Amino acid sequence: MTKDNLGGLTGSQRVKDTAKKRGRPKKNQNTEPDKSALERLQEGTKTITDAVGTVSDGIQTVANVGKQVGSAGKQVRRAFNGGSSVVTADSNNVISQAQDLASSYGLKIDELSQTIGSSNYELDDSIPQMTAKEANQINLQIERQNNSLDVAHNRIKQKRKQVRNHKEEWQLVGDLVDLDTAKIDVGAKVVKHEISGTKLQIEQSKLEETEELLEQQIIRTQGVVSLTDGIRREWDLKLDKQHRQLEALEIEIEQQDNRNARKREEVESFLFAE
């Protein structure tokens, strides 16, 4: 049974008028037209934009100075154009952003103030009166609608499961990326291991070369040591020769002294012979 059929059984004009009144949308108490969530968000963040204007101007000046530097210095390619509006926005503006985000996924949220109705202790004129039969019929429709709502609720839960599964899939992708990264890290460690092994071989080769140089030096030392005995013997002989030469000179001197002494004696004997 629809709203147009209300009062059809009794022909009550009051019920029909009440139904029409209920179906008529409520007037907006505000004189201004309804604004979109994006417009409200823009108005809510205007103060923030003005507040960060000075900072943005300062950053722009730095960027201009960086451009003048040219190739002599590296420039900052991204300038700061103001912070997030959520920093100073009120709760309504933040909720509006959440609604905009939900709308981008195709989700529309009804205004709760238009669906709850009036106070619990006041008679709501928008609610029509009806007979028990009409109430039963409407209750049956409500039950059927509740069935639809249950289906929608289950579908929403199913969508949430789909979102969770999709999230898990992306987390799995991240895990696979981490796994591949770990493999690359292991490969890098293997390369470092090979580098260390090669460095060890280089040091071993240097050690072998040094040992050969040491053996060559030992051979030279042994040769020098072998020459030492011959050189010592040579100098010993030279010293003996020198001693003998000195002895010969001494003997020659002594003989000369003896000859001189005899000649002196002969001269003296000749002089004193008479």
Side-chain angles (χ1 to χ4, degrees), residues 112-178:
L112 186 60
S113 60
Q114 297 179 2
T115 59
I116 289 181
S118 60
S119 172
N120 295 332
Y121 301 99
E122 295 179 359
L123 182 62
D124 190 351
D125 294 335
S126 63
I127 300 176
Q129 298 183 10
M130 61 187 68
T131 64
K133 182 178 180 180
E134 292 173 340
N136 290 332
Q137 291 177 346
I138 293 177
N139 285 332
L140 179 59
Q141 291 179 355
I142 291 175
E143 288 296 329
R144 292 176 178 176
Q145 290 178 344
N146 286 337
N147 291 335
S148 299
L149 292 177
D150 290 338
V151 171
H153 180 69
N154 291 330
R155 175 57 180 150
I156 291 172
K157 292 196 297 184
Q158 187 182 47
K159 289 180 180 179
R160 293 186 63 188
K161 289 182 179 180
Q162 290 175 328
V163 172
R164 287 197 298 268
N165 289 340
H166 193 62
K167 179 181 177 182
E168 290 293 334
E169 286 178 348
W170 277 106
Q171 289 179 344
L172 176 59
V173 171
D175 292 339
L176 293 175
V177 172
D178 291 339

Side-chain angles (χ1 to χ4, degrees), residues 25-211:
K26 295 181 179 179
K27 294 182 179 179
N28 193 347
Q29 298 299 327
N30 270 331
T31 57
E32 298 181 357
D34 292 340
K35 298 180 180 179
S36 64
L38 179 58
E39 292 176 345
R40 293 196 303 270
L41 178 60
Q42 291 175 345
E43 291 178 355
T45 58
K46 184 178 184 300
T47 304
I48 302 173
T49 305
D50 295 338
V52 301
T54 304
V55 179
S56 299
D57 293 339
I59 296 298
Q60 188 64 34
T61 302
V62 175
N64 292 333
V65 173
K67 291 180 180 178
Q68 295 175 1
V69 174
S71 60
K74 188 175 181 181
Q75 300 179 11
V76 178
R77 292 176 292 177
R78 181 182 294 274
F80 180 72
N81 295 324
S84 173
S85 61
V86 181
V87 174
T88 56
D90 57 19
S91 60
N92 291 331
N93 288 330
V94 176
I95 293 173
S96 296
Q97 292 188 42
Q99 290 177 339
D100 292 339
L101 176 62
S103 298
S104 66
Y105 287 95
L107 179 63
K108 182 179 180 181
I109 301 178
D110 297 331
E111 289 292 338
L112 186 60
S113 60
Q114 297 179 2
T115 59
I116 289 181
S118 60
S119 172
N120 295 332
Y121 301 99
E122 295 179 359
L123 182 62
D124 190 351
D125 294 335
S126 63
I127 300 176
Q129 298 183 10
M130 61 187 68
T131 64
K133 182 178 180 180
E134 292 173 340
N136 290 332
Q137 291 177 346
I138 293 177
N139 285 332
L140 179 59
Q141 291 179 355
I142 291 175
E143 288 296 329
R144 292 176 178 176
Q145 290 178 344
N146 286 337
N147 291 335
S148 299
L149 292 177
D150 290 338
V151 171
H153 180 69
N154 291 330
R155 175 57 180 150
I156 291 172
K157 292 196 297 184
Q158 187 182 47
K159 289 180 180 179
R160 293 186 63 188
K161 289 182 179 180
Q162 290 175 328
V163 172
R164 287 197 298 268
N165 289 340
H166 193 62
K167 179 181 177 182
E168 290 293 334
E169 286 178 348
W170 277 106
Q171 289 179 344
L172 176 59
V173 171
D175 292 339
L176 293 175
V177 172
D178 291 339
L179 174 62
D180 196 62
T181 302
K183 290 181 179 179
I184 294 174
D185 292 340
V186 172
K189 290 182 179 180
V190 172
V191 173
K192 291 180 180 179
H193 177 268
E194 292 298 320
I195 291 175
S196 298
T198 303
K199 288 182 178 179
L200 174 62
Q201 293 177 3
I202 291 174
E203 297 301 326
Q204 288 176 333
S205 178
K206 290 180 180 180
L207 175 60
E208 184 178 2
E209 178 184 0
T210 305
E211 288 179 347

Side-chain angles (χ1 to χ4, degrees), residues 6-38:
L6 294 177
L9 296 179
T10 60
S12 173
Q13 185 64 32
R14 184 183 63 80
V15 174
K16 293 181 179 180
D17 293 339
T18 305
K20 290 181 180 179
K21 182 188 298 182
R22 182 184 181 186
R24 187 164 55 246
K26 295 181 179 179
K27 294 182 179 179
N28 193 347
Q29 298 299 327
N30 270 331
T31 57
E32 298 181 357
D34 292 340
K35 298 180 180 179
S36 64
L38 179 58

